[in-house]
Amino acid sequence: MAGHVSLQYSTAPQQTPIQESEPRWVRWFLITIALAFICLFLLLPLSAIFIKAFEKGIPVFLAAISDIDALAAIKLTAIIALITVPLNAIFGVAAAWAVTKFHFKGKSLLITIIDLPFAISPVIAGLVFVLLFSAHGLFGQWLLEHNIKIIFAVPGIVLATLLVTLPFVARELIPLMQTQGTANEEASMTLGASGWKTFWLVTLPNIKWGLLYGIILCSARAIGEFGAVSVVSGHIRGVTNTMPLHIEILYNEYQFSAAFAVASLMSLFAIFTLIIKNVIEWKAKGVS
């Protein structure tokens, strides 16, 4: 990531690089183990998804992904991502700005809260919203009186996805902005720039690659989230089923080709995400 590079000189003796000190057979052995692990636990399962998806031919594949319930699941997944990712991006930038640019009481508590979704199970995250907003929950009676439905509806899925994807953007930006420090912002403010102008013209260009990286990770998690969404969705076909839930239903109904067809679409998105991630890392290194 972009940052300041400082040169340090040391009188300590230089260590011999590992690749020059280790025997050749050790290097090849380790590389072979790594490649075998990748093939066994990544490439083989990924290949199996596409093989099963096209096992009964392209017409069956096209019928599976064009089914009305599948299209509804794809549409809902896209809607959830389009809502949660921008909100988490805004929160992530604001939280990172607050943590890295200001000194205040409760900063450690804020960082702990940001990291909390990493520590709790997604299923527990979903149950929290059930306890709050279900018919027998803490706010259930008030929601019924005002004809507001959250659990077993789209708002509940949005809330659950927001919670489990909360840390991704913030945790990418906080270390980056800590490394960059506050010198650029202080110089901008000294020259008379307002806070907003400093953010748009100084801070945002410096964090753009980290922000994009966090958005990519957040999008991937939002689209692939299963546990929390499964608890609050109700599994209503064509209404509250996202792509992961639709795949589970098809698989449980022994519609394996259809299940793997929809799974292949999610796999393609994962591959696309990985490509974008590597491009962003390459761009970031190029400007560092």
Side-chain angles (χ1 to χ4, degrees), residues 118-142:
F118 283 147
I120 62 175
S121 167
V123 175
I124 301 302
L127 284 175
V128 168
F129 292 109
V130 172
L131 293 175
L132 290 176
F133 303 122
S134 66
H136 302 287
L138 185 61
F139 302 107
Q141 188 61 38
W142 184 88

Side-chain angles (χ1 to χ4, degrees), residues 3-256:
H4 300 286
V5 179
S6 61
L7 298 178
Q8 297 181 350
Y9 298 93
S10 174
T11 57
Q14 295 184 349
Q15 296 181 349
T16 303
I18 294 178
Q19 64 268 24
E20 295 180 6
S21 61
E22 294 291 345
R24 182 181 296 272
W25 71 268
V26 173
R27 284 179 278 164
W28 281 109
F29 177 72
L30 295 176
I31 292 173
T32 302
I33 291 178
L35 291 176
F37 188 89
I38 291 173
C39 291
L40 182 61
F41 293 102
L42 180 61
L43 297 182
L44 186 60
L46 188 62
S47 300
I49 291 174
F50 288 97
I51 292 173
K52 293 291 292 185
F54 291 97
E55 186 178 38
K56 295 184 178 180
I58 294 179
V60 175
F61 173 85
L62 294 177
I65 63 175
S66 60
D67 177 73
I68 185 170
D69 290 335
L71 292 176
I74 294 171
K75 180 181 177 181
L76 179 59
T77 302
I79 291 173
I80 298 301
L82 289 174
I83 294 174
T84 58
V85 173
L87 290 177
N88 271 324
I90 294 172
F91 168 79
V93 172
W97 177 282
V99 168
T100 60
K101 307 300 180 182
F102 300 100
H103 298 283
F104 56 91
K105 292 182 179 179
K107 180 187 291 190
S108 299
L109 178 62
L110 176 59
I111 296 175
T112 301
I113 293 174
I114 292 172
D115 289 336
L116 190 60
F118 283 147
I120 62 175
S121 167
V123 175
I124 301 302
L127 284 175
V128 168
F129 292 109
V130 172
L131 293 175
L132 290 176
F133 303 122
S134 66
H136 302 287
L138 185 61
F139 302 107
Q141 188 61 38
W142 184 88
L143 293 172
L144 287 174
E145 293 174 356
H146 292 79
N147 196 29
I148 299 174
K149 192 171 184 180
I150 294 180
I151 301 302
F152 305 153
V154 174
I157 300 175
V158 171
L159 289 174
T161 308
L162 271 174
L163 179 59
V164 298
T165 58
L166 182 73
F168 285 94
V169 175
R171 292 309 301 174
E172 286 298 321
L173 292 181
I174 289 174
L176 173 62
M177 295 175 72
Q178 286 176 334
T179 301
Q180 293 175 345
T182 60
N184 292 335
E185 285 78 10
E186 291 173 356
S188 176
M189 299 290 285
T190 301
L191 294 174
S194 63
W196 277 110
K197 193 171 183 179
T198 298
F199 171 77
W200 287 108
L201 298 181
V202 178
T203 303
L204 191 58
N206 287 337
I207 65 172
K208 60 181 179 181
W209 297 118
L211 177 59
L212 286 174
Y213 188 79
I215 288 174
I216 290 296
L217 296 179
C218 184
S219 300
R221 179 61 186 272
I223 290 175
E225 175 56 33
F226 177 84
V229 172
S230 178
V231 173
V232 301
S233 71
H235 297 263
I236 305 173
R237 284 181 181 269
V239 181
T240 61
N241 273 346
T242 58
M243 291 177 70
L245 301 183
H246 184 64
I247 293 170
E248 181 201 27
I249 290 176
L250 292 175
Y251 192 86
N252 290 337
E253 293 177 348
Y254 302 103
Q255 301 182 49
F256 299 125

